[in-house]
Amino acid sequence: MRTFLRVTLTVLAFTVAALALPLTLGGVTLGASFENRYTPRTDGATPQPVRRAHDPAKPTAVVVVGNEGAVVSDTLAPYEVLATTGAFNVYTVAPLARPVTLTGGLDLIPDLSFAELDSLLSSAAPDVVVVPALPDLGEPTTRPVTDWLRQQSAKGALLMSVCNGSGLLASAGLLDGRHATAHWFRIGGFEEEFPAVDWIRGTRYVDDGNIVTTAGILSGIDGALRITERIAGPETARKAAEAVGWAHYSPGSSTPMTQNTFEAADTVVAVNTAFRWDKPHLGVLLTTGIRELELAAVFDTYGESLAVETTAVGVDGAPILSRHGLTFAPRTAAADDLDRLIVPGAGAAASHAADRYPGLSPVYLHAEPGFPFDAVLEDLARITDTATTRWTTRTLEYPSSHLALDGVAWPWTVTLRPFGLAVLGLLVAFGIRALYRRRA
């Protein structure tokens, strides 16, 4: 009996030794992977947005972001689509007038606070309210947004959620008894949490009267085009789809799609988040006149991969204006401590905007025509692996069969790290055991 107990304790001790380092280091890296997606700026800077003229003859559309941030493509993709039409006054709004961190550390300066929008519209509701996914869904910090959404809905606004923004509408009670959709990764959880909603799979958007909900991230483009059809007409929507380069537009109806589910290859995200502690650190140069989708493509693609870290860099550190008037504030004007300098935007590529950084070879991602996400996904495959990139395209819900994803198939070096740590833990345990026996 004593021998059995001694053997059992020995096996248990060595098992703990093998697991200690992988679990400890993996847990630390895992936590940092998700925290870095919305890390707020710490310099206390509060740049002001550049005000744009308001045309009272046009309907007003707003993209609402919370005080804790929002998914960058959920926010910027519908914004560019609606702004490209020229048929709307389009603004970003937030509970408070202060910088909001979008995925990957891109700081947006909202155009208006809720109070300022109320004053601008003389207390009337905007015609369209777009609701992106917020990182604090289910937390008390979303209450200013959910309360405001109920008010706008009661005033007659047309609401559109993007991705898991439908969870925000559901938590506000606005989807009870309705049909709705959401990102494939969360829709099952929403079915349990919000059983009063009829959740629909396998579609890019669901149009249910005064509420339109969309599936994952880039389905927000389809939702914005549907909103455009309803308010400005199908021809305006067709021209907007062509202008932004969206080849998947289906006039008058939602494009059916295969419902994604978790696959074995998706375990790559666990490898990246837990054991890729040496993630490439990319500086992303912000330049005046950049398209909103060009910015979203960089920060969301690298951010959703969970294998790369990004920092917004400015030529002189000053805020910049995007093509359709949004204000973004870089976090640094320096290119120090960066592995690469990424320069999004066709205009920046044409003007060689990053030539002032001789220490780094700038990567002009949008030098060739095409939908902005294509070049970034292909670059991601080159610097990481195709498994990570395919996970990212599925997360974005972006059709990827046309992409040339040239890279290694799997991050084998990163995958072997927990096994190496386990062996190291065992060696330490054996060493301690041998030292104990020698002294005994």
Side-chain angles (χ1 to χ4, degrees):
M1 181 66 181
R2 298 173 75 180
T3 301
F4 174 78
L5 181 60
R6 185 167 56 252
V7 170
T8 301
L9 290 175
T10 300
V11 170
L12 180 61
F14 281 112
T15 301
V16 171
L19 294 177
L21 283 176
L23 291 178
T24 301
L25 292 179
V28 170
T29 308
L30 179 67
S33 294
F34 289 99
E35 288 175 3
N36 290 340
R37 285 164 58 81
Y38 297 99
T39 303
R41 61 189 305 139
T42 57
D43 58 5
T46 55
Q48 296 301 305
V50 175
R51 301 297 184 186
R52 303 190 294 281
H54 180 79
D55 185 350
K58 293 181 179 180
T60 295
V62 300
V63 183
V64 58
V65 292
N67 290 329
E68 305 301 316
V71 172
V72 62
S73 293
D74 290 11
T75 304
L76 299 187
Y79 179 93
E80 179 170 329
V81 171
L82 295 172
T84 295
T85 68
F88 301 89
N89 300 299
V90 190
Y91 305 106
T92 53
V93 298
L96 301 175
R98 68 184 190 194
V100 172
T101 302
L102 305 180
T103 316
L106 176 62
D107 292 319
L108 166 71
I109 315 304
D111 294 309
L112 301 164
S113 67
F114 287 166
E116 290 168 334
L117 177 67
D118 194 53
S119 176
L120 178 67
L121 300 181
S122 301
S123 299
D127 299 271
V128 177
V129 176
V130 178
V131 185
L134 306 185
D136 52 339
L137 176 64
E139 301 295 329
T141 48
T142 62
R143 183 168 181 177
V145 176
T146 53
D147 288 348
W148 184 81
L149 289 172
R150 291 190 195 97
Q151 295 168 9
Q152 307 318 303
S153 179
K155 292 179 182 179
L158 173 58
L159 305 182
M160 181 191 119
S161 68
V162 183
C163 191
N164 295 327
S166 56
L168 203 66
L169 295 181
S171 67
L174 296 172
L175 294 182
D176 288 356
R178 291 178 174 271
H179 304 291
T181 193
H183 194 285
W184 65 269
F185 198 76
R186 289 291 299 274
I187 195 168
F190 285 168
E191 285 178 324
E192 296 180 5
E193 188 174 359
F194 306 110
V197 183
D198 184 8
W199 296 100
I200 307 296
R201 289 172 163 79
T203 183
R204 298 196 76 88
Y205 69 80
V206 171
D207 186 340
D208 191 349
N210 65 336
I211 296 182
V212 175
T213 56
T214 80
I217 303 176
L218 289 180
S219 295
I221 295 178
D222 300 277
L225 291 169
R226 177 58 177 165
I227 294 294
T228 302
E229 287 178 348
R230 289 182 51 173
I231 295 179
E235 182 61 16
T236 301
R238 184 192 66 77
K239 290 180 179 178
E242 183 178 334
V244 302
W246 189 246
H248 312 286
Y249 173 49
S250 176
S253 64
S254 173
T255 304
M257 64 178 182
T258 301
Q259 179 70 19
N260 284 321
T261 56
F262 195 82
E263 300 175 354
D266 293 336
T267 54
V268 71
V269 72
V271 173
N272 286 331
T273 53
F275 299 106
R276 196 185 284 268
W277 50 71
D278 53 350
K279 296 175 183 177
H281 188 187
L282 311 185
V284 181
L285 186 66
L286 309 187
T287 54
T288 295
I290 189 170
R291 287 176 55 191
E292 293 80 14
L293 270 167
E294 290 170 337
L295 275 177
V298 172
F299 283 96
D300 223 359
T301 298
Y302 294 129
E304 293 296 338
S305 76
L306 295 169
V308 179
E309 293 182 356
T310 51
T311 296
V313 178
V315 172
D316 55 8
I320 65 102
L321 276 183
S322 66
R323 176 175 295 186
H324 298 101
L326 289 181
T327 305
F328 296 95
R331 298 202 172 182
T332 179
D336 300 330
D337 301 322
L338 299 176
D339 295 306
R340 301 170 81 212
L341 181 63
I342 300 296
V343 189
S351 65
H352 295 278
D355 287 355
R356 63 161 289 175
Y357 295 107
L360 291 170
S361 298
V363 180
Y364 292 101
L365 286 175
H366 298 125
E368 300 296 329
F371 187 64
F373 280 76
D374 291 355
V376 190
L377 285 163
E378 290 173 353
D379 181 69
L380 178 65
R382 286 191 293 270
I383 66 173
T384 59
D385 54 86
T386 57
T388 294
T389 307
R390 294 194 187 284
W391 155 264
T392 305
T393 62
R394 283 158 45 76
T395 303
L396 294 169
E397 292 206 332
Y398 180 54
S400 61
S401 59
H402 65 289
L403 298 178
L405 301 181
D406 298 323
V408 298
W410 186 268
W412 290 112
T413 301
V414 179
T415 304
L416 291 173
R417 286 175 177 174
F419 298 100
L421 290 170
V423 170
L424 179 60
L426 286 173
L427 291 175
V428 171
F430 277 117
I432 293 173
R433 184 189 188 196
L435 181 62
Y436 174 80
R437 285 183 169 181
R438 187 178 299 116
R439 289 183 175 179

